Amino acid sequence: MEILYAILLVFLIVCATFACLHKNFLTSVIIFMSYSVVMAIVWMLLESPDLAITEAAVGAGVTSILFFVTLKKIHAMDQEKNCDEETDTSEI
Amino acid sequence: MDFIKNFPFFSIIICLVSGVLTSVLKKKAARYLTYTALFVLFVLSSLVLFYTIQTGDYYVYRMGHYFAPWGNEIRIGVLEGIFAVFFCIVMLLSIVAGEKHIDEDVESTKINLYYTLICLMMSSLLALTYTNDLFTAYVFIEINTITAACLVSVSGTGRSLYASTKYMIMSLLGSGLVLIGITLLYDVTGHLLLSNIHDSVETIMATGEYAAPMTIIIALITIGLSIKSALFPFHSWLPDAHTASTISSSAILSGLVLKGYIIVLIKFFYRSIGWENVLKTGINDVIFVFGIMAMIVASLFAIVQKDIKRMVAYSSVAQIGYIFMGLGIGNEIGVIAAIFQIFAHGVTKSMIFISIRGFKDVSEHSTRFDGIKGAALRNKVSGVAFAAGAFSMVGIPFLPGFVSKLNFAAAAGDFGGTKMIIILVALAFSTILNCIYFFNALITLYTPVVMSEEEKAKRSVKSGALYIVTVVCFILVNVFVGTFSAQILDLIESGLKMFS
Amino acid sequence: MSKIRRDYENSLWRKLVRFVYGENDSFHEKAGYDIEHPETEKRKEETFFEEVDYTKKKKESDKFFAKYSAIAEKRGEKVYNHFYKFLAAITCFSIIMILLVTVAKLPSFGNPDNPVNNEVSERYIEQGLEETGAVNIVAGMILDYRAFDTLGESHVLFIACVCVMILLRLDKETNDPEKLKALENDRDFEPKNEAILQHAAKILVPVIILFGIYIVLNGHISPGGGFAGGAIIGSGLILYLNAFGFKKTEMFFTTKTFSVVSVSSLLFYSLSKTYSFFTGANDLHSIIGPGTPGAILSAGLILPLNIAVGAVVACTMYGFYALFRKGGI
């Protein structure tokens, strides 16, 4: 049990760090989503199922979807693609 | 129990209910509902104030069937009563005076939502004033933060969106620090009720068991709240927010929102930590240094501004510096002076912002100094109001700014030592700087300009009777606060005794 | 360029050397700009001026100034960026260190002698069931003992939704034709009638919403409650909207539904709690009793309040998504 705790907590820290530091927004949001899921498990282990349900529904579900819609609105999802294409052509 | 004791709770609920209702009403109905609600609040709060003055003691109102550490409670003394009356007056006058600009700046279908924001902000301010529970305070800090950021962005222009994003980021940083502080405090003391925290803090200070976390907690909550109330190094959001928002929002932001957080800070210091323990940690010296820096540096910034709203915003930063300086001195006269400065700055700064609305009307919506040249001659009432505000800020007798400066000097004299010299020098220097920029603005406003007939026609816009009435009310309120300052100071002193 | 040469040029060491000599900013390499010398640029511009007509000249000079200021800006930005990153890292690190040291000195986790385990939590645990009638202690705590906080919390959600409305709602008065078109039907912009998503949604959405309703209604008996259940219902609605588009959801959920549901539930919350606070504070008899613990119709006001909170939360979640997507509910 202790080991499981340790693994989950380390995973949380790693996720939090990379969600902040990653340059691609989309990847950041997905990392953030996995952070929320792990957080929900941690709440469950801490014997607060109320929080676990809420965290899973809000943190992993609704918040991420709102982030995705926003990224789509500001064209952050397509931009990455364009950048890749440009670098591809320049290399050829 | 006297029926009047219910009034603080009623006023919070009236705000919440009318806030929810305005979101579905039409524009005009929402406006009148808000005005009525604010007026009713004013009446209720005044009655509560008179009641507390008469009984001469605070009372605790239980929210629900359970007593305090289990349920919620609010606690009302003289000081809370004065704060509530002050909030109601300034909010009502600011909203009524800026009515025309709200119509212009906000989309016509969303004006009722603006009034929703106003009502909920009022409820949060009242709840912050009355509450006796740290977590309730946090919940209403959240409401205050969201509504304030939205009040800035409500006109939807690029500049206001930029300003409100900046404000939101800074403000959320502050909320985060406060929340961490509250969590740690609960962990160490096991209570959320301010009075119960005090007992636990006393034992902690006596035994020294969790002394190190305690220092961090006090630092976190103080820094968080001072970020939210724009103390000097964290002020960068304030000038943008004031410049970009509509006039009523600026007046409310400067006069009320910043003050709400300071009230929570004073409450936290006095009621839950205990003033002696605060002095022991030395956090008041830190506040003091930043307050002095704000007084000087923000005034220097204000001199070089080209936009009158921006100049007044920097002046707000300097005045917030006065308040923190007063808290930081460390004696009771200093705190009383700081609380009086809250009222003085609130009524004066809102009046100045409202008077800028008059200049904006007659200068084709410009607030830059080259645009508003001679505006005070075209709109005489606004000119008088601005002059009164400027004189108050500089420190001319019979106006509130003078009294608060006098009190700060008295507090410094009472404290003595090096601090006294620093305070007196800073006061003198900042008064001179105040003179420079406010008189510069006054001279610009009163310089006659030669205009063609066409320009004259364009610029002679009537402000409306309602506006003139509110501005006159504002001037009267200012003169009242300035003239009856001795009585108000007595009330503050007696209120502060009930406060802790 | 040979492969070895290119690898060498792209190596970290080479990047560092170039960065040290100021030739290139390794952090901005991907942006693909190269700093041109402003003077040569100016000379080019001067020779260009004499040949072209005025409008073209103006255009070119605008371009030139834009480019020049962009270069100057980027140079300033470069210095600023490094300075800023350095400071941010140091601040973050010191805050993390301070907080870690503080946490290390806090009461140890799960110790029964901690200050948190005092008379407050004792009464919640021991008498909570009896006094509030809620088997789920958390529900009893947030909706009965400390209902005022929750009242504020539900208004936080409401005010957040109002703010999003002010910022993002497109009203019919708008003149922008593209926005008007977006108002008509979102499928014009996103023509994705994906079969897989629609079939999955057909099966999943009823289950999700049913689960949400179950959690709301059982808030006082089992873990969960208004907020969690409302969020689940909201995400179910969002999934339905994603699969079938606004035309289908508008058959049962419009702006009117939104405002009626959220406003009436908030008003119900405020007014019922006003009654309960008023009777509590004035020591009057309240007609609302705790009921039989464990029954579905028990725990006084907790069940209706849970439903109200659930309705507000579901509306808010769906409202957020619809406003972000289309600018209207």
Side-chain angles (χ1 to χ4, degrees):
Chain A
M1 204 58 186
E2 289 281 310
I3 299 170
L4 180 64
Y5 255 127
I7 292 172
L8 287 176
L9 291 179
V10 168
F11 189 79
L12 274 186
I13 294 171
V14 171
C15 276
T17 322
F18 278 88
C20 294
L21 295 181
H22 206 281
K23 283 201 172 135
N24 187 350
F25 286 126
L26 189 61
T27 324
S28 274
V29 174
I30 291 168
I31 295 173
F32 182 69
M33 227 166 135
S34 61
Y35 170 90
S36 294
V37 174
V38 176
M39 197 70 213
I41 299 171
V42 172
W43 288 130
M44 200 63 221
L45 291 178
L46 288 172
E47 294 177 8
S48 43
D50 306 65
L51 277 177
I53 297 171
T54 317
E55 178 77 39
V58 176
V62 180
T63 320
S64 324
I65 292 172
L66 291 182
F67 273 131
F68 288 144
V69 180
T70 316
L71 288 182
K72 187 146 199 223
K73 274 258 153 108
I74 61 170
H75 303 295
M77 285 180 173
D78 330 333
Q79 204 186 19
E80 194 59 30
K81 223 183 194 174
N82 294 341
C83 271
D84 286 348
E85 277 163 15
E86 271 171 30
T87 47
D88 285 345
T89 48
S90 66
E91 269 180 28
I92 295 160
Chain B
M1 195 168 82
D2 294 328
F3 189 68
I4 206 165
K5 284 189 178 176
N6 289 307
F7 284 179
F9 163 62
F10 284 168
S11 44
I12 297 175
I13 285 292
I14 286 172
C15 281
L16 287 176
V17 168
S18 52
V20 173
L21 276 179
T22 45
S23 72
V24 286
L25 290 176
K26 287 272 181 307
K27 170 183 143 189
K28 274 211 168 142
R31 170 170 293 161
Y32 293 129
L33 178 63
T34 313
Y35 290 170
T36 327
L38 285 175
F39 187 73
V40 171
L41 289 191
F42 170 63
V43 174
L44 292 184
S45 310
S46 319
L47 286 174
V48 171
L49 175 62
F50 285 124
Y51 177 76
T52 46
I53 290 173
Q54 253 176 11
T55 53
D57 202 7
Y58 70 88
Y59 68 89
V60 170
Y61 183 81
R62 177 159 48 109
M63 304 286 265
H65 294 270
Y66 308 101
F67 282 100
W70 296 280
N72 291 104
E73 69 172 26
I74 54 180
R75 182 172 142 165
I76 299 99
V78 173
L79 204 53
E80 284 93 335
I82 313 179
F83 276 130
V85 174
F86 158 74
F87 285 147
C88 295
I89 293 176
V90 176
M91 182 72 95
L92 185 60
L93 289 179
S94 307
I95 296 296
V96 175
E99 195 184 282
K100 196 175 133 200
H101 279 244
I102 294 170
D103 284 352
E104 282 168 11
D105 287 345
V106 187
E107 267 182 70
S108 60
T109 44
K110 291 176 185 167
I111 288 174
N112 58 339
L113 297 180
Y114 186 86
Y115 289 105
T116 310
L117 295 178
I118 294 292
C119 287
L120 285 171
M121 163 159 283
M122 194 66 215
S123 77
S124 75
L125 285 171
L126 286 177
L128 284 182
T129 317
Y130 289 138
T131 184
N132 196 18
D133 187 292
L134 209 49
F135 196 75
T136 315
Y138 177 73
V139 170
F140 284 94
I141 284 176
E142 246 180 292
I143 296 188
N144 206 339
T145 309
I146 300 173
T147 45
C150 197
L151 279 180
V152 175
S153 74
V154 81
S155 53
T157 57
R159 252 173 61 189
S160 64
L161 291 180
Y162 166 76
S164 105
T165 313
K166 208 168 165 183
Y167 178 28
M168 198 75 200
I169 291 171
M170 290 296 277
S171 198
L172 286 180
L173 176 68
S175 303
L177 292 181
V178 172
L179 185 59
I180 295 175
I182 292 176
T183 320
L184 294 179
L185 191 62
Y186 179 69
D187 207 15
V188 183
T189 60
H191 283 289
L192 286 169
L193 197 75
L194 289 168
S195 341
N196 288 18
I197 291 173
H198 184 68
D199 302 339
S200 306
V201 169
E202 285 293 332
T203 49
I204 285 175
M205 286 291 170
T207 57
E209 198 182 355
Y210 300 119
M214 206 61 221
T215 319
I216 300 288
I217 289 162
I218 297 175
L220 280 175
I221 294 186
T222 313
I223 295 172
L225 288 173
S226 46
I227 290 177
K228 289 171 98 58
S229 51
L231 184 59
F232 161 63
F234 314 114
H235 68 280
S236 60
W237 56 269
L238 189 126
D240 284 328
H242 278 40
T243 322
S245 51
T246 179
I247 290 283
S248 294
S249 305
S250 304
I252 292 165
L253 209 60
S254 170
L256 304 180
V257 177
L258 304 177
K259 308 300 182 317
Y261 303 128
I262 297 177
I263 290 170
V264 178
L265 186 65
I266 296 175
K267 207 178 243 182
F268 174 70
F269 277 169
Y270 253 78
R271 206 176 283 168
S272 76
I273 303 295
W275 191 236
E276 304 78 33
N277 298 327
V278 173
L279 294 184
K280 261 185 229 160
T281 57
I283 194 92
N284 67 317
D285 291 330
V286 181
I287 296 178
F288 177 76
V289 171
F290 283 118
I292 295 274
M293 275 161 72
M295 283 161 66
I296 308 283
V297 181
S299 303
L300 287 174
F301 275 130
I303 293 177
V304 296
Q305 299 306 321
K306 300 245 173 354
D307 186 308
I308 191 167
K309 260 178 130 181
R310 230 179 149 74
M311 184 199 89
V312 178
Y314 271 109
S315 153
S316 277
V317 179
Q319 300 291 327
I320 295 290
Y322 278 84
I323 298 175
F324 276 96
M325 188 264 287
L327 287 179
I329 295 173
N331 54 6
E332 205 184 318
I333 309 180
V335 179
I336 292 172
I339 293 175
F340 186 80
Q341 168 73 3
I342 292 179
F343 300 125
H345 178 236
V347 290
T348 311
K349 209 31 83 60
S350 323
M351 180 174 73
I352 291 180
F353 272 114
I354 292 306
S355 69
I356 290 174
R357 187 217 124 161
F359 305 143
K360 214 175 159 184
D361 279 347
V362 294
S363 321
E364 299 170 38
H365 287 270
S366 171
T367 51
R368 294 180 66 82
F369 277 123
D370 43 5
I372 55 166
K373 214 171 189 182
L377 298 170
R378 295 193 288 271
N379 192 335
K380 302 233 167 41
V381 188
S382 300
V384 172
F386 187 86
F391 288 146
S392 164
M393 287 285 124
V394 170
I396 306 279
F398 296 111
L399 287 168
F402 168 73
V403 183
S404 63
K405 280 203 170 96
L406 202 67
N407 279 310
F408 282 124
D414 185 64
F415 195 82
T418 5
K419 251 188 190 175
M420 176 178 82
I421 300 166
I422 299 175
I423 295 166
L424 292 181
V425 170
L427 268 178
F429 195 58
S430 113
T431 308
I432 295 169
L433 293 174
N434 272 345
C435 276
I436 295 174
Y437 60 78
F438 270 117
F439 284 139
N440 184 19
L442 273 179
I443 291 167
T444 316
L445 285 171
Y446 277 100
T447 312
V449 273
V450 186
M451 285 183 298
S452 61
E453 283 299 320
E454 196 183 324
E455 272 182 330
K456 229 178 215 170
K458 224 191 254 173
R459 291 188 173 187
S460 57
V461 180
K462 285 273 176 297
S463 293
L466 203 59
Y467 172 72
I468 293 170
V469 171
T470 48
V471 169
V472 171
C473 284
F474 249 129
I475 297 174
L476 288 179
V477 169
N478 266 285
V479 174
F480 176 82
V481 174
T483 329
F484 293 92
S485 56
Q487 283 85 340
I488 296 179
L489 282 168
D490 284 345
L491 281 184
I492 293 174
E493 202 182 341
S494 62
L496 207 58
K497 282 202 187 88
M498 297 174 206
F499 208 56
S500 53
Chain C
M1 214 191 283
S2 70
K3 192 169 180 292
I4 300 169
R5 175 79 188 160
R6 198 173 62 196
D7 282 354
Y8 171 66
E9 285 292 332
N10 285 336
S11 68
L12 270 177
W13 171 249
R14 240 340 251 175
K15 275 181 189 169
L16 182 71
V17 168
R18 264 185 288 163
F19 171 64
V20 169
Y21 287 133
E23 289 172 20
N24 207 342
D25 178 12
S26 51
F27 287 99
H28 278 274
E29 207 170 37
K30 277 196 176 163
Y33 73 91
D34 44 338
I35 299 165
E36 284 175 41
H37 211 278
E39 276 183 27
T40 56
E41 187 73 4
K42 211 172 189 177
R43 215 170 295 141
K44 258 192 242 161
E45 197 63 30
E46 273 166 11
T47 52
F48 204 63
F49 272 174
E50 288 151 17
E51 302 162 9
V52 293
D53 61 303
Y54 177 72
T55 48
K56 208 173 179 185
K57 207 160 98 183
K58 183 148 189 326
K59 224 185 212 170
E60 285 296 324
S61 73
D62 277 357
K63 221 183 198 171
F64 162 68
F65 276 116
K67 202 170 184 181
Y68 184 81
S69 59
I71 291 168
E73 216 169 66
K74 270 177 185 163
R75 268 190 187 160
E77 199 181 287
K78 198 170 88 184
V79 177
Y80 176 75
N81 263 349
H82 288 305
F83 184 64
Y84 178 81
K85 271 182 187 163
F86 181 69
L87 267 187
I90 284 195
T91 320
C92 277
F93 193 72
S94 48
I95 290 179
I96 289 171
M97 277 300 136
I98 289 172
L99 288 180
L100 279 181
V101 170
T102 317
V103 167
K105 291 192 173 173
L106 285 179
S108 59
F109 180 74
N111 190 351
D113 297 331
N114 280 350
V116 184
N117 299 322
N118 52 8
E119 73 275 7
V120 181
S121 37
E122 197 184 303
R123 176 163 165 186
Y124 286 152
I125 294 167
E126 283 175 359
Q127 298 173 34
L129 180 65
E130 195 185 312
E131 284 177 346
T132 64
V135 181
N136 180 8
I137 300 170
V138 179
M141 221 160 86
I142 61 174
L143 288 170
D144 203 346
Y145 284 112
R146 300 183 65 94
F148 188 49
D149 292 351
T150 318
L151 179 65
E153 218 40 92
S154 51
H155 280 87
V156 169
L157 270 177
F158 174 73
I159 197 69
C161 204
V162 166
C163 291
V164 176
M165 254 195 234
I166 288 181
L167 287 173
L168 293 178
R169 194 174 76 190
L170 300 169
D171 291 317
K172 293 271 186 273
E173 281 83 40
T174 177
N175 294 320
D176 195 348
E178 231 173 70
K179 284 183 181 172
L180 277 179
K181 209 177 165 193
L183 272 180
E184 274 168 18
N185 192 359
D186 67 314
R187 294 272 124 168
D188 295 344
F189 285 86
E190 296 173 30
K192 284 175 199 152
N193 281 314
E194 282 186 27
I196 298 175
L197 185 62
Q198 290 189 347
H199 279 284
K202 261 181 208 164
I203 300 165
L204 279 179
V205 170
V207 182
I208 292 176
I209 292 183
L210 208 61
F211 180 57
I213 292 172
Y214 162 78
I215 284 185
V216 172
L217 291 183
N218 277 299
H220 53 297
I221 299 171
S222 62
F227 193 85
I232 292 171
I233 297 174
S235 44
L237 288 173
I238 292 173
L239 178 60
Y240 184 79
L241 171 61
N242 248 330
F244 298 103
F246 280 100
K247 272 218 165 133
K248 283 273 171 72
T249 47
E250 270 166 12
M251 287 160 72
F252 62 91
F253 201 103
T254 55
T255 319
K256 207 177 167 191
T257 332
F258 170 81
S259 41
V260 166
V261 171
S262 55
V263 167
S264 55
S265 14
L266 277 175
L267 283 182
F268 169 72
Y269 195 140
S270 298
L271 295 178
S272 59
K273 268 295 147 192
T274 310
Y275 172 73
S276 130
F277 288 157
F278 182 74
T279 51
N282 293 296
D283 293 322
L284 299 173
H285 175 69
S286 169
I287 53 164
I288 303 155
T292 346
I296 188 82
L297 288 176
S298 68
L301 273 173
I302 293 180
L303 176 65
L305 290 184
N306 258 333
I307 296 172
V309 173
V312 173
V313 174
C315 283
T316 313
M317 295 294 167
Y318 178 80
F320 275 153
Y321 182 74
L323 283 164
F324 273 60
R325 259 289 283 282
K326 188 177 78 159
I329 295 167

mmCIF file of all heavy atoms in Angstrom, chain B residues 234-250:
data_model
loop_
_atom_site.group_PDB
_atom_site.id
_atom_site.type_symbol
_atom_site.label_atom_id
_atom_site.label_comp_id
_atom_site.label_asym_id
_atom_site.label_seq_id
_atom_site.Cartn_x
_atom_site.Cartn_y
_atom_site.Cartn_z
ATOM 1 N N PHE B 234 3.097 44.749 -5.795
ATOM 2 C CA PHE B 234 2.102 43.944 -6.499
ATOM 3 C C PHE B 234 1.031 44.809 -7.149
ATOM 4 O O PHE B 234 -0.075 44.359 -7.388
ATOM 5 C CB PHE B 234 1.422 42.979 -5.521
ATOM 6 C CG PHE B 234 2.357 42.252 -4.619
ATOM 7 C CD1 PHE B 234 2.353 42.480 -3.258
ATOM 8 C CD2 PHE B 234 3.253 41.343 -5.130
ATOM 9 C CE1 PHE B 234 3.218 41.814 -2.429
ATOM 10 C CE2 PHE B 234 4.114 40.673 -4.302
ATOM 11 C CZ PHE B 234 4.110 40.911 -2.952
ATOM 12 N N HIS B 235 1.348 46.076 -7.423
ATOM 13 C CA HIS B 235 0.292 46.992 -7.853
ATOM 14 C C HIS B 235 0.116 46.997 -9.359
ATOM 15 O O HIS B 235 -0.764 47.671 -9.853
ATOM 16 C CB HIS B 235 0.648 48.403 -7.420
ATOM 17 C CG HIS B 235 1.828 48.924 -8.165
ATOM 18 N ND1 HIS B 235 3.106 48.574 -7.819
ATOM 19 C CD2 HIS B 235 1.930 49.698 -9.252
ATOM 20 C CE1 HIS B 235 3.932 49.139 -8.664
ATOM 21 N NE2 HIS B 235 3.253 49.824 -9.539
ATOM 22 N N SER B 236 0.939 46.233 -10.111
ATOM 23 C CA SER B 236 1.028 46.483 -11.552
ATOM 24 C C SER B 236 -0.299 46.316 -12.281
ATOM 25 O O SER B 236 -0.494 46.880 -13.344
ATOM 26 C CB SER B 236 2.062 45.559 -12.172
ATOM 27 O OG SER B 236 1.673 44.239 -11.953
ATOM 28 N N TRP B 237 -1.240 45.545 -11.713
ATOM 29 C CA TRP B 237 -2.505 45.361 -12.399
ATOM 30 C C TRP B 237 -3.422 46.553 -12.253
ATOM 31 O O TRP B 237 -4.305 46.761 -13.073
ATOM 32 C CB TRP B 237 -3.221 44.124 -11.871
ATOM 33 C CG TRP B 237 -3.447 44.111 -10.399
ATOM 34 C CD1 TRP B 237 -2.622 43.588 -9.457
ATOM 35 C CD2 TRP B 237 -4.541 44.674 -9.698
ATOM 36 N NE1 TRP B 237 -3.136 43.792 -8.217
ATOM 37 C CE2 TRP B 237 -4.318 44.454 -8.331
ATOM 38 C CE3 TRP B 237 -5.696 45.357 -10.093
ATOM 39 C CZ2 TRP B 237 -5.200 44.879 -7.358
ATOM 40 C CZ3 TRP B 237 -6.570 45.775 -9.111
ATOM 41 C CH2 TRP B 237 -6.318 45.538 -7.772
ATOM 42 N N LEU B 238 -3.212 47.343 -11.199
ATOM 43 C CA LEU B 238 -4.227 48.332 -10.839
ATOM 44 C C LEU B 238 -4.369 49.481 -11.838
ATOM 45 O O LEU B 238 -5.495 49.801 -12.237
ATOM 46 C CB LEU B 238 -3.928 48.846 -9.431
ATOM 47 C CG LEU B 238 -4.994 49.721 -8.823
ATOM 48 C CD1 LEU B 238 -5.416 49.182 -7.495
ATOM 49 C CD2 LEU B 238 -4.516 51.124 -8.657
ATOM 50 N N PRO B 239 -3.259 50.096 -12.299
ATOM 51 C CA PRO B 239 -3.446 51.202 -13.255
ATOM 52 C C PRO B 239 -4.144 50.754 -14.539
ATOM 53 O O PRO B 239 -5.053 51.443 -15.018
ATOM 54 C CB PRO B 239 -2.018 51.662 -13.530
ATOM 55 C CG PRO B 239 -1.252 51.230 -12.366
ATOM 56 C CD PRO B 239 -1.859 49.963 -11.912
ATOM 57 N N ASP B 240 -3.754 49.588 -15.058
ATOM 58 C CA ASP B 240 -4.413 49.088 -16.274
ATOM 59 C C ASP B 240 -5.898 48.878 -16.032
ATOM 60 O O ASP B 240 -6.740 49.275 -16.838
ATOM 61 C CB ASP B 240 -3.789 47.758 -16.696
ATOM 62 C CG ASP B 240 -2.460 47.959 -17.353
ATOM 63 O OD1 ASP B 240 -2.299 48.996 -18.015
ATOM 64 O OD2 ASP B 240 -1.584 47.105 -17.202
ATOM 65 N N ALA B 241 -6.200 48.236 -14.893
ATOM 66 C CA ALA B 241 -7.598 47.914 -14.609
ATOM 67 C C ALA B 241 -8.429 49.180 -14.474
ATOM 68 O O ALA B 241 -9.542 49.257 -14.993
ATOM 69 C CB ALA B 241 -7.686 47.086 -13.336
ATOM 70 N N HIS B 242 -7.861 50.201 -13.824
ATOM 71 C CA HIS B 242 -8.627 51.435 -13.641
ATOM 72 C C HIS B 242 -8.818 52.171 -14.947
ATOM 73 O O HIS B 242 -9.850 52.778 -15.190
ATOM 74 C CB HIS B 242 -7.906 52.348 -12.655
ATOM 75 C CG HIS B 242 -8.166 51.985 -11.245
ATOM 76 N ND1 HIS B 242 -8.225 50.693 -10.843
ATOM 77 C CD2 HIS B 242 -8.402 52.733 -10.157
ATOM 78 C CE1 HIS B 242 -8.476 50.674 -9.560
ATOM 79 N NE2 HIS B 242 -8.590 51.892 -9.118
ATOM 80 N N THR B 243 -7.784 52.163 -15.791
ATOM 81 C CA THR B 243 -7.887 52.911 -17.034
ATOM 82 C C THR B 243 -8.867 52.267 -17.983
ATOM 83 O O THR B 243 -9.602 52.957 -18.691
ATOM 84 C CB THR B 243 -6.513 52.987 -17.710
ATOM 85 O OG1 THR B 243 -5.534 53.149 -16.705
ATOM 86 C CG2 THR B 243 -6.443 54.134 -18.668
ATOM 87 N N ALA B 244 -8.896 50.937 -18.008
ATOM 88 C CA ALA B 244 -9.656 50.273 -19.057
ATOM 89 C C ALA B 244 -11.130 50.123 -18.722
ATOM 90 O O ALA B 244 -11.945 49.944 -19.606
ATOM 91 C CB ALA B 244 -9.056 48.891 -19.313
ATOM 92 N N SER B 245 -11.484 50.205 -17.434
ATOM 93 C CA SER B 245 -12.865 49.872 -17.085
ATOM 94 C C SER B 245 -13.759 51.109 -17.197
ATOM 95 O O SER B 245 -13.291 52.229 -17.309
ATOM 96 C CB SER B 245 -12.912 49.311 -15.674
ATOM 97 O OG SER B 245 -12.240 50.176 -14.807
ATOM 98 N N THR B 246 -15.069 50.834 -17.131
ATOM 99 C CA THR B 246 -16.013 51.937 -17.159
ATOM 100 C C THR B 246 -15.971 52.678 -15.815
ATOM 101 O O THR B 246 -15.473 52.151 -14.833
ATOM 102 C CB THR B 246 -17.420 51.394 -17.477
ATOM 103 O OG1 THR B 246 -18.320 52.473 -17.485
ATOM 104 C CG2 THR B 246 -17.875 50.397 -16.449
ATOM 105 N N ILE B 247 -16.462 53.945 -15.823
ATOM 106 C CA ILE B 247 -16.206 54.830 -14.680
ATOM 107 C C ILE B 247 -16.703 54.253 -13.357
ATOM 108 O O ILE B 247 -15.970 54.247 -12.365
ATOM 109 C CB ILE B 247 -16.880 56.195 -14.927
ATOM 110 C CG1 ILE B 247 -16.155 56.947 -16.041
ATOM 111 C CG2 ILE B 247 -16.911 57.027 -13.683
ATOM 112 C CD1 ILE B 247 -14.877 57.575 -15.633
ATOM 113 N N SER B 248 -17.926 53.701 -13.360
ATOM 114 C CA SER B 248 -18.466 53.160 -12.112
ATOM 115 C C SER B 248 -17.575 52.052 -11.595
ATOM 116 O O SER B 248 -17.297 51.965 -10.395
ATOM 117 C CB SER B 248 -19.860 52.597 -12.337
ATOM 118 O OG SER B 248 -20.726 53.607 -12.667
ATOM 119 N N SER B 249 -17.109 51.181 -12.529
ATOM 120 C CA SER B 249 -16.244 50.081 -12.112
ATOM 121 C C SER B 249 -14.980 50.618 -11.468
ATOM 122 O O SER B 249 -14.537 50.100 -10.450
ATOM 123 C CB SER B 249 -15.875 49.203 -13.295
ATOM 124 O OG SER B 249 -16.996 48.752 -13.956
ATOM 125 N N SER B 250 -14.395 51.670 -12.074
ATOM 126 C CA SER B 250 -13.166 52.219 -11.499
ATOM 127 C C SER B 250 -13.416 52.723 -10.095
ATOM 128 O O SER B 250 -12.637 52.451 -9.184
ATOM 129 C CB SER B 250 -12.644 53.387 -12.329
ATOM 130 O OG SER B 250 -12.457 53.016 -13.637
#
